Every structure is written in C-alpha cells, then in structure tokens.
Amino acid sequence: MDEAVLKIGDREISLPVIVGTEGEVAIDTNKLRGQTGIVTHDKGFANTAEALSSVTFLDGEKGILRYRGYPIEQIADSASFLEVSYLCLYGELPTSAQYEEFVDDINHHTLVREDMKHLYEAFPTDAHPMQMLASAVSALATFYPDALDPTDEKAIDISAKRLIAKMITLVAWGYKYGLSQPFQYPRNDLDYTSNFLHMMFSYPTEGYQVDPVISKALDVLLNLHADHEQNCSTSTVRMVGSSQANLFSSVASGIHALSGPLHGGANQQVVVMLDEIIKGGGDVEQFIAKAKDKDDPFRLMGFGHRVYKNFDPRARIIKSYAGDVLDKLGKDDPMLDVAKQLEEVALSDEYFAERKLYPNVDFYSGIIYKAMGFPVDLFTVLFAIGRLPGWIAQWKEMRFDPTTRIGRPRQIYVGEAERKFISMDQR
Ligand code: ACO
C-alpha cells in the first residue's frame, strides 16, 4: 500500500501513503491543494496527522502509551521525572553520568531573577495560578535574550533546562503570592519534586521535612503527564513555534491551551463535581442522568477522551496509586468513594459504553493532589509541570525537522458573497 486514489467527479488523483513504525497509515495530502485546488476539512484535526513524530506512541483502542518506545507501565514508577524528562528531550534514557550532569544543570537553574517578584506583585492575590504561570513563563524570555534564537541548538538546550528548572519555582512563587506568604528559594540538595514541595509548603521560620511518600507519588504523576503526542496544548506549542517564536513564548501558549476545562482544567473540574455530588447528598445517579441529558450541557468531568476509546492506561496506574497514597497518608477521603461509585455506575451504563467513555487521567489525579495538600486551582498547574518535557521535546522535533512549514490551515468560506457597501445613513 503506497498510494491512495481519490475520486472527485470524474477526476482521479493519486496520493502517497505514509506508514508509521507501528503500522499507522496516513494519506499524504501535502500536494493535494497544489495539484487540484482542493483542501481537506477536518474539525478539531481529529483525522489529521500534522507531525511525523518519534516522541510518543499511543494507541487509543488498545490503551497503549509509550515514551520513546518505553511503555508507561514500565517507566512511570521506575524512573524519576528528570530521567523521563531527559528521555523525552534527548530520545534515550540517560546513563548515570549523563543523568548526574542533567540533574546538576537543572539544579543550578532553579533560581529565578529577583525582578520576577515584581511581576507577581502586579497580580491580584486571587489570580488563577495558570494565568500567573503563563505570564511568568512568557516573561522569562525577556531575561534571556542571549538564548532565544530558535535555530541555535545550544541556545535551545539552555532554554529547555532553564524552563524545566524554573517551572517549579514559578509555580511555588505564584502559590505563595496568593497566600501573601514569603517566597521560598529552591534548595539544591533536594531532588526536583521534593524541591518543589519544599518551595510550596515550607516557611522561612520553620524546618520542613518533605514526605517521601508524597514526593514519590507526585513524581509518578508528573511522569504520567510527561507527553501525550499531538494534544491541544502540544499542538499549540508546535504551531506557535512553527513561526519561529522562541521556546518560552511557545510554551506559554501551551499553558494557556492547557488551562481550558476540556483539557488540563478537567482535573480541577472533577474535584468540583465530586464535591457537588457529596454536598448534594451523594446522589451519583442524578449526575449520570444530567450527563446523559442532551438538553443539559453538563458532562461527566474526567470521562471520555479524544483518543482513548477503551481505557486510559494512565488512569489505571493512577487509580492504583490513589488508594495507596490515601492509605499511606492515613486519609479517608469520601471523594474517592464517590469517584469509585461514579465510575462503577457510568461503566455499566449503556450511554457511556456506546460512546466509549471511560475515566481519563484526570478522574483520579485530582483526588490525589487534594490529599497531598494542593488547593484545587493548582491542579492544572501540576499538569503543566508534568507536560513541560513533552512540550519541549515536541517543539525541538518540529524546529529541527527540515520539512517544517509555518502552521497555516486553510478554511472553506461560508459567509456572505460579495456585496456592496451601504453608508450608515442608508442602513
Ligand atoms: N460526559 C457525557 N457525555 C460525554 C462526555 C462526558 N464526559 N464526553 C463525551 N460525551 C458524549 C458527547 O456528548 C457525544 O455524544 P453524542 O455522540 O450523543 O453527541 C459523544 O460522547 C462524543 O463526544 P465528543 O465531544 O464528540 O468527543 P471528543 O472526542 O470531541 O471530546 C473530550 C473528548 C473533550 C475529552 C470529552 O469526552 C469531554 O468533554 N470530557 C469531559 C472533560 C474531560 O474530562 N477532559 C479531559 C480530557 S483528558 C486530558 O485533557 C488530559
């Protein structure tokens, strides 16, 4: 199978066929418009493979997710988040020497310029953490004009490390600002995730011991979010970068895309929904009925996925962790019980079965974040920390692909045909 034939009226056009490593087949329409003047129409790009990518493979039907060939089940728990970040960025697992150097590099970039504090001070204290984070990441570009050239490999590498390193400091500072508490500085003796927990939850006045159970669980959660091929935020990062915008600006755009309730914002919405169910007396059936009602815009948050149509492998790993973490923290959260009930009822309901709607990664992550002490509006920000290596890896891949063109989709105009201007006094 190396070509497809498209018949339009009495014309036949042959189009090349591309086959990926795992047998995925795509019809290459790159020359279609040039040869015929015809374009393809594909809402939400659901059938369009814009990228030839070697970062992540996922098979939504079989519930497979692999980073650079490694199954998520094998690395989520066994590799640290910085190890997974290295894998995403450079394509291979690091040797111990490479890992040590990478960790050292990241550690030495976690400090943020003091002037950045003024940026936070300009926000209202109740600003959403995602808006603050996107602004802060965007602002980082103004501090590093020497490393913005999107064609310079060395500059990109240093920007990538700065981003990963400073991300946790920026998030923690945004959180502290919202509480009117002093900003905490990073500690280079701690691992990445523990350092983040320290900046979030410690005070200058007291000693703080990072709980290794929480740190490990958070590390796993970050790993589960590290990349997910061409989702909304990643496609945004690639699209913005295709204009040769710098890495910081591209990632800031990805953060904005992730903030939407249908994407990264869903983990926050899940907890809000579970809370509503508990406050309303725990009537799970009522919410299921609302979700099924075509006249009600309500959707069961944490259910359904554009790609996973049988199960989300990340949700399975998280589900097993949710119980463990809550047990270890000695917390008995009614939310977990309601979540389990909701899952059970939904999975046995015809509406959800027919539409292949299963719990996604967000369904359980919020419950764990809550148990760890993170406020609800910080959940999406945690997703952003996790997704950062994926965004950068995908951006680099796009940047160094010699066939990359500026992202510029076409449209089919369906508005008014040409008409004559009428001056205001005649309308
Ligand atoms: N609750 C109730 N019905 C749903 C849900 C849901 N959560 N999700 C989809 N449906 C229904 C739709 O109403 C539609 O029904 P219809 O065929 O009768 O019209 C059908 O299932 C297909 O839904 P689409 O919106 O076409 O599916 P799409 O692939 O475009 O959307 C999405 C996927 C956005 C994730 C959707 O399932 C959703 O809104 N889920 C809730 C939000 C959520 O959990 N988002 C997190 C996604 S994962 C992530 O970003 C990490």
Side-chain angles (χ1 to χ4, degrees):
M1 188 175 21
D2 52 10
E3 66 166 29
V5 179
L6 181 68
K7 199 161 179 285
I8 305 172
D10 52 6
R11 289 174 71 186
E12 275 194 5
I13 301 124
S14 95
L15 297 164
V17 165
I18 303 169
V19 183
T21 319
E22 299 287 340
E24 294 164 298
V25 179
I27 299 169
D28 180 347
T29 56
N30 273 295
K31 300 224 161 73
L32 181 65
R33 187 176 166 276
Q35 284 174 0
T36 64
I38 294 168
V39 294
T40 55
H41 174 52
D42 184 17
K43 267 287 178 209
F45 309 114
N47 301 284
T48 296
E50 196 277 334
L52 296 185
S53 180
S54 52
V55 182
T56 289
F57 171 70
L58 73 89
D59 182 326
E61 300 300 324
K62 296 191 185 128
I64 295 173
L65 170 62
R66 296 184 202 132
Y67 301 151
R68 303 284 190 188
Y70 297 102
I72 190 67
E73 292 80 5
Q74 287 176 32
I75 47 174
D77 187 58
S78 316
S80 73
F81 178 61
L82 284 190
E83 220 174 321
V84 169
S85 300
Y86 185 101
L87 174 69
C88 289
L89 258 55
Y90 303 109
E92 294 296 336
L93 286 167
T95 61
S96 57
Q98 286 167 332
Y99 182 61
E100 219 172 283
E101 193 185 329
F102 185 64
V103 171
D104 200 53
D105 272 356
I106 298 292
N107 273 343
H108 284 94
H109 283 106
T110 46
L111 266 181
V112 167
R113 297 272 185 96
E114 287 293 296
D115 321 34
M116 282 289 277
K117 287 183 178 168
H118 302 309
L119 183 78
Y120 284 94
E121 282 156 15
F123 291 117
T125 46
D126 61 353
H128 194 285
M130 278 299 264
Q131 306 302 327
M132 284 198 273
L133 181 65
S135 307
V137 166
S138 191
L140 278 184
T142 65
F143 291 96
Y144 305 106
D146 57 310
L148 296 183
D149 181 354
T151 60
D152 177 343
E153 237 175 291
K154 257 182 118 171
I156 291 169
D157 197 55
I158 186 78
S159 293
K161 286 175 181 156
R162 279 176 175 149
L163 258 171
I164 293 176
K166 294 178 201 310
M167 188 81 163
I168 47 172
T169 314
L170 296 177
V171 169
W173 279 18
Y175 174 62
K176 288 289 188 190
Y177 177 70
L179 296 174
S180 301
Q181 287 180 7
F183 297 160
Q184 283 292 67
Y185 288 96
R187 272 180 46 191
N188 289 0
D189 59 316
L190 295 175
D191 65 78
Y192 186 80
T193 309
S194 303
N195 204 358
F196 172 55
L197 290 167
H198 145 74
M199 286 190 278
M200 285 288 299
F201 299 120
S202 70
Y203 303 92
T205 44
E206 290 172 20
Y208 173 78
Q209 213 52 42
V210 177
D211 184 332
V213 174
I214 297 189
S215 182
K216 174 64 191 171
L218 184 56
D219 214 58
V220 172
L221 281 164
L222 295 180
N223 280 345
L224 292 179
H225 288 88
D227 192 51
H228 213 238
E229 53 119 298
Q230 312 309 315
N231 54 81
C232 179
S233 55
T234 303
S235 303
T236 302
V237 169
R238 290 181 79 120
M239 171 76 112
V240 173
S242 76
S243 74
Q244 295 202 357
N246 67 66
L247 183 60
F248 297 103
S249 304
S250 306
V251 167
S253 310
I255 294 171
H256 283 300
L258 188 69
S259 70
L262 296 190
H263 192 11
N267 56 12
Q268 176 174 340
Q269 298 304 324
V270 170
V271 169
V272 171
M273 177 186 76
L274 293 174
D275 201 39
E276 253 181 76
I277 298 178
I278 292 168
K279 282 190 181 133
D283 188 355
V284 164
E285 301 276 357
Q286 183 201 335
F287 279 78
I288 301 269
K290 254 169 86 69
K292 286 159 61 175
D293 182 355
K294 283 282 141 220
D295 298 325
D296 191 328
F298 173 77
R299 282 187 167 198
L300 215 52
M301 284 292 136
F303 264 77
H305 197 277
R306 170 58 64 77
V307 180
Y308 292 122
K309 298 299 177 196
N310 272 317
F311 68 93
D312 179 340
R314 302 165 302 171
R316 282 196 173 174
I317 299 172
I318 287 192
K319 188 181 172 182
S320 68
Y321 251 86
D324 283 4
V325 170
L326 294 182
D327 282 351
K328 281 180 192 153
L329 291 175
K331 293 200 179 176
D332 189 14
D333 194 335
M335 256 188 200
L336 187 60
D337 296 336
V338 174
K340 281 183 179 159
Q341 272 180 51
L342 197 64
E343 182 185 4
E344 209 180 300
V345 178
L347 290 184
S348 56
D349 191 296
E350 214 173 283
Y351 173 96
F352 292 90
E354 261 173 19
R355 290 167 180 77
K356 295 180 180 272
L357 300 170
Y358 298 87
N360 58 47
V361 68
D362 294 319
F363 192 65
Y364 284 105
S365 63
I367 298 169
I368 304 185
Y369 293 146
K370 191 170 158 278
M372 288 172 169
F374 289 102
V376 174
D377 65 357
L378 227 87
F379 294 177
T380 318
V381 170
L382 298 171
F383 190 157
I385 299 175
R387 185 53 52 86
L388 183 59
W391 286 335
I392 299 172
Q394 299 270 352
W395 188 95
K396 279 175 65 179
E397 186 173 68
M398 172 280 305
R399 199 53 291 137
F400 296 127
D401 176 353
T403 65
T404 290
R405 302 173 75 190
I406 185 168
R408 202 304 184 188
R410 292 278 163 179
Q411 66 163 21
I412 300 295
Y413 177 71
V414 293
E416 299 286 347
E418 184 178 348
R419 48 185 173 164
K420 212 169 168 3
F421 176 77
I422 306 162
S423 61
M424 205 177 282
D425 58 345
Q426 306 279 306
R427 280 174 228 158

